[in-house]
Structure formats: structure tokens, C-alpha cells
Amino acid sequence: MQATIHNEFLTLTVDTHGAEAVSLKNAAGEEMLWQADPAIWKRHAPILFPWTGKLTGGTFTANGKTYKGGQHGFARDVEHTLLRAEGDTIQLELRADDAIKAERFPFDFVLTSTFRLEGKTVHHTLTVQNPAEAAQELRFGIGYHPAFNVPFDSAHTTEDYEFRFDQPESPMILDASPNGLLSGRCYYQWKNASAIQLTDDLFANDSFCMAGLRTKTLGIYEKDTGRSVVCNVAGYPYTLIWSAPAKPVRYVCIEPWHALPGAETDPQEWSERAATACLAPGQQWETTLSTTFDR
């Protein structure tokens, strides 16, 4: 099922499958989200929960049982409950049911996804709550993975775009090649850079996971017009940029994460792995990604 909200600048549609934004159009009716061509990449803007990236060995253990886990968790692959869609807000919820706890993740949780329009900005808030009555800790990772159409129109090509920081950056790149697991290596790809030129070969070796950014915003800009899609990444310890290695580039992802993929040396025990947060019963945690579409 899908729900749609709009204001004078934006029309947003969210699907209950994955609580995923599947369409965002500007006032001229131009689609700004990637439309999930399965020949290139079959998603639009998935939620990453309860882990980001890959798990070491593709599994984890908890309470003596081994669970298989695909990339980026499972919230993007299951049905969420629509709580409301009215005015400027869409809100959905995912609760751990018996099937999820038996097959995917043996912990109680409530994941609430709230989309709100404000002018040309979409605010997407993820709230995680531990509803457990017993003394069971909820340990999780979380992140965002929106994909934006590039080029913005048929008059432009890949080379007309660049990623821009709001101040010069020398981001530390955390290496996860060749298998998507952290290798323990890190390197500098750019030094004192205010912008990263988009090219058709930029992501030939997969994404760039940037740690320790000082910038408050990271956006994709059309160089001759200044049109842009800009994410507020302040407060996120990691921000990734990525696109599928198709030529020419058809979309770019700006991905603020609060957690990392597994490392090659990670233990299998879930309680021993790094996490975004560890919530005691009754506690909750919240984050918001705000993205402004100036086009």
C-alpha cells in the first residue's frame, strides 16, 4: 500500500513495504528519486535496520542460535504498518512479531518512520524503542540510503555534477573492499576538497565510506545552474556516497549512517558487535535525515 502527501513544492509517496519513499516530485512534476530500475538497482531509498552493510559471515548468533542476515538488515524487505498519512506527515511502524524474532532477529523492537514535508525539505525521522518487559537489551545499527536521479534533466550529463561539502574536507575513507566487510585499512581519497567531481567511473570500486566529516551538509549540485539535492549530515559519524557501476551514472546515493558494516575479524555473537545504540527496556533513540530539494 502507498500513501501520498504534498505541499506547494513537493509531492511524496511512501510504500508500506519497507516504509520506503518511492516517489518525490517537485512542483513541475519532475521525479527526483531513483525509480528502481531492476536492471541497475531495484530500490529507491531503503531504511537500513537493524544493521548497516554486511554481517561477517552473513550471520550472527544470539542466545545460542545462529541467524542468517542479508545486507543492510531486513526493515527494507518487510511490510510496515501505516499509522497516519495526513497534512504534511506520513508515519509508519514496524514491530518485532513472532516470525521476525524466530527467523530474523530475536529481540523486541518498535521502529517508527516519520516523513514530514517542510517547504522544499523532507524530514525523515527514525525512532527505535525497546518495548521489552524483561531485562533484555536492544542492540542495533541504523542508516539511510536515498537515491537521487542524476542528471536532473536531459540537457545535462554526468560531468555537469559534483558533490559539495559546506567546508573543505579531507575525509578518512574506511576500506571495505573487496567483499563489503571492513578490512581495517583506511586512506585519504581527497585532501582539503570542497567538492568531489561526479564521473561515470567514480564508483567503479563501489562506495566511499567517509568518517569524521566536519561538514554539516553534503549535496549533489548541478554546476552551471546551482540546482541541488542537499542532505544535512551533521551528527552522523559516517556518510557514504555510492552509485551502481552503470554507465552513464543514473543516480547517486548520499547515505548518512550511525553504524558500520561488519569487519573481517568481527565475532559472531551479536552482543559483542559494535552498534549504533544499546537500549534498556523502555528506552528509545531517534535520528532525523533532512534533505532539501532545490530544483
Side-chain angles (χ1 to χ4, degrees):
M1 184 172 68
Q2 296 184 343
T4 299
I5 53 175
H6 63 88
N7 63 15
E8 61 180 311
F9 301 108
L10 301 173
T11 299
L12 171 68
T13 299
V14 177
D15 201 303
T16 54
H17 186 79
E20 184 174 8
V22 296
S23 175
L24 183 69
K25 295 181 179 179
N26 62 16
E30 297 169 325
E31 181 59 67
M32 296 182 288
L33 279 186
W34 170 242
Q35 288 303 287
D37 180 347
I40 299 175
W41 189 56
K42 66 178 182 179
R43 302 181 189 272
H44 307 264
I47 296 167
L48 314 184
F49 176 87
W51 58 84
T52 56
K54 293 184 177 179
L55 294 173
T56 307
T59 63
F60 67 92
T61 60
N63 303 319
K65 181 177 177 179
T66 298
Y67 297 82
K68 291 184 178 180
Q71 184 161 311
H72 297 321
F74 55 82
R76 63 182 188 168
D77 295 319
V78 298
E79 193 72 11
H80 296 231
T81 300
L82 180 64
L83 299 182
R84 65 185 178 115
E86 56 189 9
D88 61 3
T89 301
I90 295 173
Q91 189 172 64
L92 308 98
E93 179 184 88
L94 177 65
R95 288 179 175 264
D97 57 19
D98 290 342
I100 285 176
K101 288 193 285 186
E103 300 167 12
R104 297 177 182 268
F105 192 65
F107 305 102
D108 284 315
F109 68 84
V110 180
L111 173 66
T112 305
S113 188
T114 305
F115 297 83
R116 183 173 63 86
L117 301 182
E118 181 184 25
K120 295 183 177 182
T121 298
V122 179
H123 303 287
H124 184 189
T125 298
L126 295 173
T127 305
V128 183
Q129 180 184 2
N130 181 357
E133 296 180 358
Q136 184 183 57
E137 179 183 76
L138 172 59
R139 188 181 190 90
F140 65 92
I142 203 165
Y144 296 87
H145 200 315
F148 310 115
N149 281 335
V150 171
F152 295 166
D153 59 35
S154 60
H156 291 84
T157 63
T158 304
E159 299 283 342
D160 294 322
Y161 295 86
E162 63 186 14
F163 295 97
R164 289 182 193 169
F165 306 109
D166 61 33
Q167 58 181 295
E169 288 281 2
S170 300
M172 181 68 72
I173 308 299
L174 306 183
D175 179 70
S177 60
N179 57 8
L181 297 175
L182 294 175
S183 67
R185 298 183 296 272
C186 53
Y187 62 94
Y188 292 103
Q189 182 78 12
W190 303 280
K191 291 266 188 90
N192 296 318
S194 295
I196 299 170
Q197 174 64 49
L198 183 63
T199 68
D200 287 332
D201 295 314
L202 181 60
F203 303 108
N205 295 315
D206 212 352
S207 62
F208 294 97
C209 178
M210 299 180 286
L213 293 179
R214 299 167 299 158
T215 190
K216 293 181 174 60
T217 62
L218 177 58
I220 186 73
Y221 285 78
E222 197 170 70
K223 293 187 290 185
D224 63 336
T225 67
R227 295 191 297 175
S228 63
V229 177
V230 179
C231 295
N232 186 332
V233 299
Y236 288 88
Y238 316 105
T239 301
L240 291 81
I241 54 174
W242 176 77
S243 185
K247 295 183 181 183
V249 166
R250 302 277 298 280
Y251 66 89
V252 296
C253 294
I254 299 174
E255 308 172 36
W257 292 9
H258 282 288
L260 286 171
E264 293 174 351
T265 57
D266 270 358
Q268 284 293 297
E269 181 61 37
W270 183 255
S271 63
E272 297 177 9
R273 293 188 171 184
T276 296
C278 303
L279 303 181
Q283 288 186 325
Q284 72 174 36
W285 180 94
E286 182 175 289
T287 188
T288 298
L289 173 60
S290 297
T291 305
T292 300
F293 296 81
D294 189 11
R295 48 165 295 200

